Amino acid sequence: MQSKGEFTTFVFLSGLLIGIFVSLIGGGGAALYLGVLTSQVGLATAVAVPTSLIVALPALFFGFLTQLKIKNVNFKIGNQMIIAAVPGIIVGTFSAQFIPQQLYNWIVGTIFLIMGAMVLIKYVHHSKQTTAGHQPWQAAFFGLLSGLMVGIGGLSGGATTAAGLAILGLTAVEAAGTATYVLTVMSTISLIGHLFTSTFAWQSGLVLMIGAIIGAIIGAIITPLVIRHLNLDKVNRVLTPFLGLIIIYFGIKMFI
């Protein structure tokens, strides 16, 4: 059994590693905060979801600034998704409080499994993706879906955002950068709603947040170096399936 100090260290290191990871790959990785809070910290899903938003927002914002600096943010498509996401965020945020705990676990677990599968499918079909133009309704659909999932399941909607952006024709690098922008805005809106309707685990969330912020700062330093010296497509070929499998693992844990 872990001591309190060992447990605190574990939570901090989890935040640190996820913060670095999210800063490097953008959207999708932020769902890992929720996974840690539910499967490792042991929080009830209804508490873990709003707590994950508080934890992730500072790190997401640092990640967005990093991606903005290296010009990996497509504001046009990002804004299309954000506008469509607002109704979904509102409905998801205020309906979450009425969902029974067991059903909540099944919903979020299912979201994890679907999103993990989407990430893996995105990886398998990566070579078939094109940068052709998209229809506005496609951006609206993925925006609405992402908003609903962010409202109900916190940052589990991040994988939907990243996958949707890739399907809309953005490169893996640009999709990751744009997702940090979209998720920062969507998470802020959802968090405001949860402040009036939800319970937060401040102690566990604070430790995870501190680690995440430090990780994001480290990521902000090393990301430009990675962009400059490595082939990011090759890096994504490793990180993308790893992320998908981790999200699926957290989804399975929700059913156990």
Side-chain angles (χ1 to χ4, degrees):
M1 182 178 293
Q2 288 182 320
S3 67
K4 184 176 180 180
E6 291 174 333
F7 179 73
T8 301
T9 301
F10 168 77
V11 174
F12 171 79
L13 290 176
S14 297
L16 179 71
L17 293 175
I18 296 172
I20 295 173
F21 191 62
V22 171
S23 184
L24 284 171
I25 72 163
L32 299 176
Y33 294 116
L34 180 59
V36 170
L37 290 169
T38 52
S39 66
Q40 306 303 317
V41 178
L43 296 181
T45 310
V47 177
V49 166
T51 302
S52 71
L53 293 172
I54 286 182
V55 169
L57 263 176
L60 269 174
F61 182 68
F62 277 113
F64 163 61
L65 293 180
T66 301
Q67 298 293 334
L68 183 63
K69 182 179 180 180
I70 56 180
K71 299 180 181 179
N72 278 338
V73 179
N74 186 316
F75 283 101
K76 180 180 179 180
I77 295 179
N79 288 333
Q80 290 175 345
M81 292 189 71
I82 290 169
I83 292 171
V86 173
I89 295 171
I90 294 173
V91 171
T93 299
F94 288 95
S95 64
Q97 60 183 314
F98 302 109
I99 301 175
Q101 179 64 41
Q102 185 174 5
L103 178 59
Y104 207 106
N105 288 345
W106 277 83
I107 291 174
V108 176
T110 301
I111 290 174
F112 272 132
L113 293 178
I114 293 173
M115 294 306 98
M118 286 182 67
V119 172
L120 292 179
I121 291 171
K122 168 190 166 184
Y123 168 72
V124 171
H125 294 283
H126 175 76
S127 61
K128 298 179 181 180
Q129 293 176 357
T130 68
T131 55
H134 66 279
Q135 297 296 323
W137 69 264
Q138 293 176 309
F141 170 77
F142 286 115
L144 181 62
L145 182 62
S146 298
L148 185 62
M149 290 187 172
V150 166
I152 294 177
L155 271 301
S156 62
T160 316
T161 304
L165 288 167
I167 294 172
L168 290 173
L170 273 64
T171 65
V173 175
E174 195 175 25
T178 304
T180 61
Y181 166 59
V182 174
L183 285 173
T184 297
V185 177
M186 290 199 304
S187 299
T188 300
I189 297 171
S190 183
L191 176 59
I192 292 172
H194 278 293
L195 286 174
F196 295 97
T197 62
S198 304
T199 301
F200 295 82
W202 295 105
Q203 184 173 356
S204 298
L206 182 62
V207 174
L208 194 62
M209 182 197 296
I210 292 172
I213 292 173
I214 295 174
I217 293 173
I218 294 173
I221 296 172
I222 66 176
T223 297
L225 299 178
V226 171
I227 296 289
R228 190 178 304 123
H229 297 291
L230 294 178
N231 184 323
L232 205 60
D233 281 338
K234 292 183 179 179
V235 174
N236 272 282
R237 286 172 196 165
V238 176
L239 293 181
T240 300
F242 174 74
L243 172 63
L245 292 173
I246 290 295
I247 293 175
I248 289 174
Y249 164 76
F250 284 139
I252 294 173
K253 291 280 287 185
M254 296 297 297
F255 296 100
I256 300 176

